[in-house]
Amino acid sequence: ASPGNNWGILGKILYIPNPVRPDIVMLRVYWTESQHTFIGNMEENRRALETLINEVRPIQYMVLVLFVLLSLGLSIALFKYGGGAFLLIIFGMVYVTIALILAYTFWKKDVLQLTMRKWLFLVFESLLCPPFALNILRKITLNHTISCEPILLAENVFEKDVFNRLVDFVTLRIDQQLEYLANDHPRFNPLHTYRKNNC
């Protein structure tokens, strides 16, 4: 589902990553009603984000290859050839791709902020169940936290039209939240202030 869906549970808006785009970078961000709270770290976070994106680009390509092998390759092997040698070849290519991803993440584990324990966990689940390897990129990038104000960072990183769509979406979400809150609710003033300062 896209971030613009209206699904929710227990007062939280659900976000379901696109299952056919395992190559998309996902990051954790923190929001604050004050646009000045993290502004001192904005440039540092921008450089860190650019470095991270550059370092994970090979993983993005390899994860896409893995997705094609698991979705199309296995389907063709099973339904057209009924298994046999072609299926073994696809399985071999799947594990070779996973091995390349794991080797690259080990080589870059310090830059990617992966501890040996986290890397070994990725190895274990990826080799035990190859489809889990499709989530490697998400697990690595979600391990990184952007601590500056995300709207300010997006303004410096995103293209103008993408940034404008983000602001429109955030504004819509805040307005929807404000509609359900009384003026004396603890969250009302922080949300209203955030909308005023950042949107």
Side-chain angles (χ1 to χ4, degrees):
S2 70
N5 70 69
N6 291 311
W7 299 352
I9 183 171
L10 299 178
K12 303 293 184 180
I13 298 172
L14 292 179
Y15 174 68
I16 303 174
N18 190 332
V20 298
R21 291 299 307 274
D23 60 313
I24 294 179
V25 171
M26 299 176 63
L27 299 163
R28 296 184 188 276
V29 295
Y30 290 97
W31 304 84
T32 172
E33 65 272 14
S34 172
Q35 64 177 356
H36 302 293
T37 302
F38 297 121
I39 194 169
N41 295 325
M42 196 266 289
E43 182 62 25
E44 178 183 341
N45 276 270
R46 185 185 65 81
R47 291 196 301 268
L49 178 58
E50 290 176 350
T51 299
L52 176 64
I53 290 175
N54 289 332
E55 295 294 345
V56 301
R57 190 162 287 118
I59 302 176
Q60 291 178 291
Y61 297 141
M62 289 186 283
V63 165
L64 280 177
V65 171
L66 182 62
F67 176 76
V68 171
L69 289 172
L70 289 173
S71 59
L72 296 180
L74 288 181
S75 298
I76 293 172
L78 291 173
F79 292 106
K80 185 174 182 179
Y81 297 98
F86 188 78
L87 179 62
L88 293 177
I89 292 172
I90 294 297
F91 271 124
M93 294 174 66
V94 165
Y95 276 99
V96 166
T97 305
I98 292 174
L100 289 173
I101 296 173
L102 294 173
Y104 180 83
T105 55
F106 179 79
W107 179 39
K108 295 286 187 177
K109 63 184 177 63
D110 292 334
V111 179
L112 300 176
Q113 299 178 17
L114 281 175
T115 63
M116 181 59 73
R117 181 178 180 179
K118 289 180 179 178
W119 183 79
L120 288 174
F121 180 77
L122 291 178
V123 172
F124 174 77
E125 68 171 10
S126 298
L127 296 180
L128 186 66
C129 184
F132 284 173
L134 292 173
N135 290 320
I136 283 182
L137 179 65
R138 292 170 181 161
K139 290 180 179 178
I140 291 174
T141 55
L142 281 173
N143 192 46
H144 292 255
T145 300
I146 302 299
S147 60
C148 69
E149 214 301 307
I151 292 291
L152 290 175
L153 180 64
E155 188 175 12
N156 285 270
V157 175
F158 291 176
E159 295 179 0
K160 187 175 181 179
D161 61 328
V162 177
F163 173 72
N164 289 337
R165 290 202 302 271
L166 172 67
V167 171
D168 290 342
F169 169 72
V170 173
T171 301
L172 175 64
R173 282 300 190 199
I174 293 176
D175 289 341
Q176 289 174 342
Q177 291 293 313
L178 289 174
E179 288 180 5
Y180 293 100
L181 298 177
N183 291 351
D184 58 348
H185 192 280
R187 292 184 59 201
F188 184 88
N189 285 333
L191 282 172
H192 188 269
T193 302
Y194 186 88
R195 189 193 190 289
K196 180 180 178 181
N197 291 341
N198 299 280
C199 302

